[in-house]
Amino acid sequence: MSRIVFLSDLHLSPKHGFFWKNFALARDAANVSDADAVVVCGDLCIDGPDSDTEMGFAALALDGLEPPVFALPGNHDVGDEPPGQDARQIIDEDRLARWDQAFETDRFMLDAGVWRLIGVNAQLFGSGLPREDEQEAWLARELTDAGDRPVALVLHKPLFLEREDEDEATAATLNPAPRARLLALLRRAGVRLVISGHLHATRDREIGGIRHLWLPALAFLGKGGHGGVPAVGALLVDFAEAEVRIEPLALPGLEPHELDAIKGHGLWRFLREMPACPPVLGPPA
Ligand SMILES: [Fe+2]
Ligand SMILES: [Fe+2]
């Protein structure tokens, strides 16, 4: 076990099928790759915080992946930590319960090659929910247990954009206070790599001795403005050696959707409010 496919920002829905074809391409490519596992880095849904049906649909979609799947939630699955980008979709117990029912867990530990991957629920940081402290204690234990293994932390949101000490609360990244606590924990444990999604843009940069790898989205291009390069795609990462090998997963035909165009250039604020346009799931049986 060392080769992991990373998918992020799928934004699937049985009501809005804009991005289903991109997911189907990635699913099929992952299934014929020699990947040992697939990590899904959040935003599986469009309206996950308020829709049982949508969460169930995303879980069913991931069942189509043949390697073992490790899924983490994003803001479009369980809501944002406050203040968030939409005050109506802030993370709470009911939203966590909806995720748990579909995916059982919102965190994972996975040894791949010489590395230990630790996946956490990014939306808990700064949420004030009991699970935030519980997750932090679990993370501290997993980091200690990793011993000499290099550790990669995996989560939906990047810790920051350009600098570790950014002091503005923004829905683009973790908030300043929980970020500082997390970074202190990561530093003590010698964590070397952080892998995140959410911005729909790729970047691979070492800052303060930690490599921060931003994953492309599967669904649509980021608008830019947060750094990195807006991108659709998926990555295949080989953790066999201390120096990870990163390559794009070949996805010919992937559509580089633009969100503004889909939302009619200002006609709709949120995808979830748009008229239904269900996905074409495949040829009839
Ligand atoms: Fe997203
Ligand atoms: Fe997100």
Side-chain angles (χ1 to χ4, degrees):
M1 154 85 73
S2 74
R3 288 166 64 81
I4 313 285
V5 165
F6 285 84
L7 308 179
S8 191
D9 296 273
L10 289 54
H11 293 288
L12 302 177
S13 162
K15 187 175 169 194
H16 296 111
F18 316 111
F19 314 118
W20 175 260
K21 198 173 148 223
N22 277 4
F23 169 73
L25 281 169
R27 176 200 61 202
D28 294 349
N31 286 346
V32 297
S33 73
D34 56 356
D36 299 301
V38 177
V39 167
V40 184
C41 211
D43 281 2
L44 283 60
C45 302
I46 290 173
D47 192 23
D50 286 317
S51 170
D52 292 338
T53 315
E54 196 152 301
M55 193 69 77
F57 180 80
L60 208 59
L62 295 199
D63 283 348
L65 286 158
E66 286 163 17
V69 175
F70 299 84
L72 297 171
N75 50 305
H76 280 273
D77 307 313
V78 296
D80 250 326
E81 73 280 20
Q85 61 185 21
D86 179 355
R88 288 169 298 177
Q89 293 199 329
I90 299 295
I91 186 169
D92 62 23
E93 298 288 0
D94 288 346
R95 287 168 170 153
L96 279 173
R98 179 182 290 116
W99 172 272
D100 291 348
Q101 191 170 1
F103 297 100
E104 290 180 25
T105 175
D106 59 352
R107 64 181 83 139
F108 68 82
M109 186 283 283
L110 171 65
D111 284 341
V114 301
W115 285 72
R116 169 161 292 187
L117 275 61
I118 302 179
V120 294
N121 180 349
Q123 310 311 125
L124 286 172
F125 292 97
S127 68
L129 295 171
R131 197 181 292 189
E132 180 182 3
D133 290 342
E134 189 197 312
Q135 174 172 264
E136 192 171 322
W138 173 85
L139 174 59
R141 282 197 305 277
E142 291 296 334
L143 288 169
T144 304
D145 288 352
D148 292 336
R149 278 181 174 270
V151 170
L153 182 78
V154 188
L155 75 175
H156 180 58
K157 285 188 177 184
L159 274 51
F160 54 87
L161 297 178
E162 302 293 331
R163 296 188 339 267
E164 294 180 354
D165 61 352
E166 288 163 3
D167 54 9
E168 200 184 324
T170 160
T173 68
L174 294 196
N175 286 330
R179 173 205 304 140
R181 278 205 311 277
L182 176 60
L183 270 168
L185 191 59
L186 300 184
R187 282 252 147 64
R188 276 202 300 280
V191 169
R192 307 199 359 212
L193 177 62
V194 175
I195 300 175
S196 59
H198 183 55
L199 295 177
H200 296 220
T202 53
R203 199 176 75 181
D204 185 358
R205 187 184 292 177
E206 188 171 314
I207 300 171
I210 298 176
R211 184 178 186 180
H212 295 266
L213 175 65
W214 293 1
L215 299 169
L218 259 188
F220 57 89
L221 297 167
K223 264 201 264 187
H226 293 305
V229 179
V232 289
L235 298 183
L236 182 52
V237 183
D238 193 336
F239 293 91
E241 296 173 13
E243 195 61 40
V244 295
R245 287 217 324 268
I246 302 170
E247 57 185 282
L249 184 68
L251 294 172
L254 199 71
E255 286 275 352
H257 291 291
E258 292 194 16
L259 190 59
D260 269 359
I262 289 176
K263 293 197 290 192
H265 300 283
L267 207 57
W268 303 96
R269 180 160 177 224
F270 295 111
L271 291 173
R272 65 175 189 259
E273 296 167 346
M274 292 181 65
C277 51
V280 178
L281 296 178

